[in-house]
Amino acid sequence: MSLRRLLGLGRALGRRSCCSKSPLPPNFVEALKAVVGTSNVSTAMAVREQHGHDESMHVCAPPDAVVWPQAVGQVQELAALCYHYRVPMVPFGTGTGLEGGVNAVQGGVCFDLSHMNTIMELSVEDFSVSVEPGVTRKALNSYLRDTGLWFPVDPGADASLCGMAATGASGTNAVRYGTMRPNVLNLRVVLPDGRLLHTAGAGRQPRKRAAGYDLTSLFVGSEGTLGFLTLATLRLHPLPEASAATTTAFPTVQAAVDCTVQVLQAAVPVARIEFLDEVMAGACSRFSNMELPVAPTLLLELHGSRHGLAEQQQQTEEIVRLNGGSNLAWAEELEERERLWAMRHCAWYAALALRPGCQGYSTDVCVPISRLPDVVVETKRDLQDSGLTGPMVGHVGDGNFHCILVFNTQDKDEAQRVHAFTERLGRRALAAGGTCTGEHGVGLGKRALLLEELGQEGLDTLRSIKAALDPHNLMNPGKVL
Amino acid sequence: MAPLKVLVGVKRVIDFAVKVRVAPGGHVVQEQGVKHSLNPFCEIALEEAVRMRERGEAAEVIAATVGSRQSQDALRTALALGADRAVLVELPGAGPEQGAGPGAGPGQGAGPPLVAAALAKLVEREKPQLVLLGKQAIDDDCNQTGQILAAILDWSQGTFLSRLELDPGSSSVRIQREVDGGLEQLRLQLPTVLTADLRLNQPRYATLPNIMKAKKKPLEVQPLEQLLGGPVPPPRLRVLRLEEPPVRQGAQRVESVPALLERLAALGRI
C-alpha cells in the first residue's frame, strides 16, 4: 500500500471511500519538517485533536500531522509534497466553522495557516486591501480604524477572512453590505499540486471585471475542497456616519416576520435586521443580563448620514407600529450598540446555557423573503410538535434563519427526533424555493441535501469541476461532495 | 456654567497590534515602516472631550501633542475624531527613526517631564478649564504626564477615570476612578487635569466625511524651544540596553509526580 503511494500509483484509478484513512508514508513527517522547520510541524495528539474539529458537534477527526507554513512558497512546497504522495490536505484558519469543515475524516495533513498574517496593499482611494489567512475580521477592522473604512461581513465569530471566503460566510450585515462573495475581489490560491493561481490575475483589484469565467466566485464557498486560499483581496466600505440600533417585541412570530418583509419592501436600507423567537429572546436576555421581554423580537440597526438616519428611523417606526411592535428606544452610542450586538452574537452560547451538558446543532436554511413568514411559523409548530428545544435566531432580512437545536446526543430518541426535524426543515426550505444552507456551508452534514437542492446535473457539474482541479480528491476530502 | 474649553493631550505610538522588535544596536525599537496610531488611552480622553462638546458642556476641543513632524498624522486623526483644532509642539533635531532625540524619555518620545512642561505652556496660552490625557502611553507605560502637569500648574488632578460628570451650575466635576481597592468617587474643582482609563468610554471610529473635513481644520506647528522660551533641557534618562524577552524553550513532559521531582532535583531547583 505505502509502496504504491510512494510510486504515485493507484490513486487515479479509484476514489477513496468517505471515511477510509491511510497512515502517512514513511519519512513523510521528516519531509514536512524539511520545508517549514521542525518547530512548525507537530504530530502530538493534543495538537492534532485541536485541529480536528470546529465549533460544530461533528465528531473530532484529527489529522495525522499539523503544519504551520510561514509563507505562500512553503504552502506550495507542502502541497506539492502531499500531492506527490497522495496525502489528504485540510486547510485550517481559526477553526470557528459550524459544519465540520476542518474535520480530517481521511486523516492527512492539516495546514494551519494562522502564521501567515500580513495585511498588505491597502488602498484607501480604491477601497481595497489584501489579507493573508492569519488575519481575522476584527484584526482587519482594528487596523483600518483610522482610514474611515471597514469590512462589514460579520458572521459573529472573529474568523479568519480567508476562512470566511472559503465558506462563503455571511452575517448580520449582509442585508445591506452583502456576503463574502461580492466582497472578494481576488484570491491567491495554492492549487492541490502546489501551483499558484490568482483568480483575477496577479496584483489586480478592479471593482468589476468581465474577463473570463469568474474563478474568484468559484473558490469563494469552496470550503477547502479546491485549493488553499492564501491571500484574499477584499472590497472595503465607508464607515457609516451615524448608526442607531434598537430592539422591538411583537405579539406573534408572524407579526415580527411580516414587519421584516414590509421594512424591506419599503426599501428602507436597513443595515441589520435580526429575529429572535421568544425562547431565544429569553435565553439571550438571561445570558447577557439584559432585560428583553420574552416575546418574538426584532433587533434592527440603521446606518446613514445624520439626516438620512432620522428619515430611516421614522419610516421604521411607522412599520413597526403597524405590526404591533413595542416602542422603539434607539441606541446611538457605540457602547450601547455593541452591548446589543454582543448579546445577539452570544446566541449560540445562550442557547446551550438553556440545557447545560447538551450539545448544539444549528440549522441554516434560507428562503425567499415572500415565503419567510409561513416557513418560520411552520417550523416553530414542528419544533413544538417534536418536543425539541430549538430557539430560533435569524438574519431575516436575507430570509435566513437558524434553529439552534439543543439536545442530549446520548438520548437516542431525542437525537432521532432532531435528525428528522432538520431533514423536514431542509426539505421545507427547498420546497419553498430556498437553500438548505444560507451561510454555514455544506461541510460534512449537508451533502445529501445538496443533491436534492441542485439536482443530478448540478451535482455532476460540481464533480466535473472538482475532478478537473483536484483529480486525486486530496483537498479536504469528504466535504461538500 | 459657560461651556468649557478643553485641551486634550495625545501621543503617536506604535499601533497596539504590531509585534514590536528591537532595532539593531539595542537602544531603540524598529519604527521604520511600522504602523503607528493614536495611543488608545488618548483616544478615550479625546472621545470624552468630544462627547462633552456634543452635549454642549464644552465649547472647544483642542488636541495637542509633543513630537516629531510625523505626529501630524496623529493630530489629523484627532481632528477627524472631533477635535476642533490641533497643535503640534515639534521636537528639535532628528526624528525617532534616527535614534533618541534631545529630551528623550525611556521611550523614543520627549518623556513625561518635557511633555508636561510643554503642555503647561500651552495651558498658559490657551487657558482651558479642563485638561484631559490618557492615563499612560502604551510604549513607555510611564503614567506620569498628567500628574506632573497638575503639579506644575498647581491644579487638582483625577487619574484613572472611569466616569466623568460635570456638576451643573457649579464649577466642579464628579469623577469615578479605578483604584486598586475598587472605585473611588471624587469631586474636583475646576480647572483640573484628568487622565482617562479604559472603561471611561468606547471611542468612535473616524468616518470618511470627517477625515475629509479634518484636512481643513487648523493644525498649528510650534517649535518646542519657542514655546518653552528657552533651550530644551538635556535628556534626564539614557537607555543602556533594550532586549527582547528570551526565546521560549520547549516544554518537557514527565509521566508522573516522582519523575517530576527527580527532574527538578536534577536541575538543582529543589
Side-chain angles (χ1 to χ4, degrees):
Chain A
M1 173 61 219
S2 37
L3 184 63
R4 280 171 71 86
R5 287 183 68 183
L6 278 174
L7 297 176
L9 299 171
R11 277 303 121 234
L13 300 175
R15 295 202 105 75
R16 260 195 253 235
S17 77
C18 160
C19 293
S20 73
K21 283 166 137 218
S22 310
L24 293 178
N27 302 322
F28 191 75
V29 175
E30 274 60 49
L32 294 174
K33 288 178 177 174
V35 176
V36 290
T38 311
S39 54
N40 289 316
V41 178
S42 177
T43 50
M45 198 57 203
V47 174
R48 289 160 53 202
E49 281 178 347
Q50 190 187 30
H51 286 80
H53 71 92
D54 57 15
E55 299 249 25
S56 71
M57 40 157 270
H58 289 288
V59 170
C60 175
D64 296 302
V66 181
V67 296
W68 285 265
Q70 307 297 308
V72 65
Q74 289 183 347
V75 180
Q76 291 183 268
E77 276 187 70
L78 293 167
L81 188 62
C82 292
Y83 189 82
H84 182 76
Y85 289 102
R86 304 294 187 257
V87 173
M89 302 175 261
V90 181
F92 187 99
T94 46
T96 46
L98 293 168
E99 295 292 335
V102 298
N103 295 30
V105 294
Q106 288 189 32
V109 177
C110 172
F111 286 51
D112 183 328
L113 300 168
S114 57
H115 286 195
M116 293 169 58
N117 60 0
T118 316
I119 300 176
M120 49 177 104
E121 297 165 13
L122 168 64
S123 170
V124 177
E125 294 86 11
D126 292 327
F127 288 22
S128 68
V129 69
S130 297
V131 294
E132 288 191 316
V135 181
T136 64
R137 67 170 183 91
K138 286 187 185 172
L140 177 62
N141 281 327
S142 172
Y143 185 91
L144 293 172
R145 69 189 184 287
D146 301 334
T147 59
L149 301 175
W150 70 314
F151 187 69
V153 182
D154 175 9
D158 189 18
S160 149
L161 289 157
C162 290
M164 285 163 62
T167 51
S170 165
T172 48
N173 284 314
V175 61
R176 170 135 168 193
Y177 296 97
T179 63
M180 279 309 279
R181 193 160 272 120
N183 287 302
V184 177
L185 297 170
N186 199 348
L187 287 169
R188 182 183 69 186
V189 182
V190 172
L191 293 170
D193 58 7
R195 287 177 301 148
L196 198 63
L197 165 70
H198 289 92
T199 55
R204 302 187 192 291
Q205 49 271 357
R207 291 183 73 77
K208 61 186 200 187
R209 56 190 296 282
Y213 306 150
D214 191 353
L215 291 177
T216 309
S217 212
L218 172 65
F219 282 90
V220 173
S222 57
E223 301 186 51
T225 59
L226 296 179
F228 298 89
L229 306 186
T230 60
L231 188 74
T233 306
L234 304 172
R235 184 193 303 270
L236 301 173
H237 296 253
L239 273 166
E241 235 190 281
S243 305
T246 186
T247 62
T248 173
F250 290 81
T252 60
V253 168
Q254 178 90 41
V257 184
D258 283 342
C259 179
T260 308
V261 174
Q262 286 165 28
V263 165
L264 293 168
Q265 286 177 338
V268 176
V270 58
R272 291 168 146 147
I273 181 160
E274 296 285 303
F275 168 71
L276 308 170
D277 74 354
E278 72 281 1
V279 182
M280 192 78 252
C284 282
S285 194
R286 260 199 304 285
F287 189 82
S288 302
N289 282 322
M290 294 187 64
E291 269 141 40
L292 283 188
V294 178
T297 303
L298 283 183
L299 262 68
L300 293 127
E301 186 164 280
L302 303 173
H303 292 171
S305 66
R306 297 208 178 279
H307 295 296
L309 191 69
E311 216 174 64
Q312 289 181 47
Q313 282 172 297
Q314 202 181 31
Q315 284 177 291
T316 310
E317 280 167 14
E318 264 180 59
I319 300 173
V320 165
R321 226 175 304 129
L322 238 77
N323 284 283
S326 64
N327 283 331
L328 303 179
W330 295 100
E332 311 219 354
E333 273 185 3
L334 189 56
E335 290 90 329
E336 284 180 67
R337 284 186 286 121
E338 298 242 312
R339 253 188 95 208
L340 207 60
W341 294 109
M343 175 197 70
R344 158 65 184 87
H345 283 319
C346 289
W348 176 257
Y349 304 107
L352 289 178
L354 285 175
R355 291 181 65 188
C358 288
Q359 301 264 50
Y361 175 72
S362 171
T363 67
D364 179 34
V365 298
C366 185
V367 299
I369 310 283
S370 58
R371 302 297 311 275
L372 187 64
D374 46 66
V375 171
V376 169
V377 168
E378 216 185 298
T379 304
K380 194 117 174 85
R381 200 176 309 132
D382 191 355
L383 263 176
Q384 284 162 348
D385 291 343
S386 309
L388 294 171
T389 310
M392 288 168 72
V393 60
H395 322 293
V396 283
D398 308 313
N400 181 205
F401 65 94
H402 308 292
C403 290
I404 304 180
L405 293 153
V406 186
F407 67 106
N408 181 0
T409 44
Q410 306 303 320
D411 178 347
K412 284 202 170 33
D413 178 61
E414 194 177 16
Q416 178 49 33
R417 279 182 286 136
V418 165
H419 183 75
F421 169 83
T422 59
E423 297 247 296
R424 282 196 300 275
L425 176 55
R427 299 210 159 92
R428 191 176 302 128
L430 293 177
T435 168
C436 63
T437 174
E439 56 183 13
H440 295 169
V442 173
L444 271 178
K446 298 195 169 113
R447 288 171 297 158
L449 284 170
L450 189 61
L451 170 60
E452 285 183 45
E453 184 167 327
L454 290 180
Q456 193 59 51
E457 295 73 22
L459 214 59
D460 287 344
T461 310
L462 292 187
R463 291 212 169 105
S464 308
I465 296 173
K466 167 78 169 171
L469 292 171
D470 183 19
H472 304 293
N473 191 22
L474 298 171
M475 286 304 308
N476 210 3
K479 313 292 166 57
V480 185
L481 298 173
Chain B
M1 177 170 51
L4 307 174
K5 193 179 207 187
V6 182
L7 177 68
V8 181
V10 300
K11 186 177 182 186
R12 175 181 182 264
V13 296
I14 295 179
D15 188 83
F16 74 89
V18 168
K19 256 199 172 62
V20 178
R21 289 266 110 93
V22 176
H27 286 93
V28 293
V29 298
Q30 299 266 26
E31 292 219 45
Q32 278 279 29
V34 162
K35 182 171 206 283
H36 285 68
S37 45
L38 261 185
N39 183 43
F41 297 107
C42 301
E43 260 184 34
I44 295 173
L46 178 64
E47 174 69 24
E48 197 64 20
V50 172
R51 288 190 189 184
M52 285 176 75
R53 198 200 54 224
E54 289 171 345
R55 287 194 294 261
E57 292 164 356
E60 191 185 23
V61 175
I62 309 165
T65 194
V66 181
S68 68
R69 219 13 108 104
Q70 281 168 314
S71 295
Q72 282 190 90
D73 342 329
L75 288 178
R76 286 285 167 216
T77 304
L79 291 169
L81 292 171
D84 298 299
R85 58 187 168 93
V87 181
L88 167 62
V89 180
E90 192 177 10
L91 286 175
E97 273 76 344
Q98 278 91 353
Q108 284 146 227
L114 199 53
V115 172
L119 288 178
K121 288 290 179 191
L122 279 183
V123 166
E124 244 178 65
R125 197 184 81 177
E126 297 287 344
K127 305 195 191 340
Q129 289 85 27
L130 182 58
V131 177
L132 268 163
L133 305 172
K135 70 169 178 180
Q136 65 197 57
I138 60 172
D139 52 8
D140 57 25
D141 276 348
C142 281
N143 179 13
Q144 294 167 7
T145 308
Q147 292 89 329
I148 298 176
L149 177 61
I152 296 175
L153 296 171
D154 196 24
W155 286 11
S156 60
Q157 61 176 271
T159 54
F160 313 117
L161 249 61
S162 56
R163 192 159 66 221
L164 168 62
E165 273 159 26
L166 233 50
D167 261 349
S170 62
S171 52
S172 58
V173 293
R174 252 179 227 275
I175 63 169
Q176 181 180 86
R177 310 175 57 218
E178 296 197 1
V179 298
D180 286 345
L183 299 171
E184 187 180 55
Q185 325 280 343
L186 292 178
R187 187 196 278 125
L188 303 173
Q189 296 297 329
L190 294 174
T192 185
V193 176
L194 303 175
T195 75
D197 206 333
L198 191 64
R199 279 162 278 274
L200 180 58
N201 60 48
Q202 196 159 357
R204 66 196 64 194
Y205 283 32
T207 61
L208 283 178
N210 288 338
I211 292 175
M212 293 284 130
K213 284 185 211 149
K215 297 195 175 140
K216 310 220 182 76
K217 291 186 184 175
L219 197 167
E220 177 201 333
V221 180
Q222 256 273 24
L224 178 60
E225 266 194 29
Q226 211 177 78
L227 186 64
L228 292 180
V232 175
R236 297 156 63 101
L237 294 176
R238 183 162 60 95
V239 174
L240 298 177
R241 195 176 67 240
L242 207 56
E243 290 173 352
E244 290 182 14
V247 175
R248 276 180 67 179
Q249 305 299 319
Q252 300 172 25
R253 291 187 76 150
V254 291
E255 299 301 314
S256 66
V257 173
L260 173 64
L261 295 175
E262 208 187 294
R263 191 70 69 83
L264 288 172
L267 288 168
R269 301 291 188 180
I270 52 170

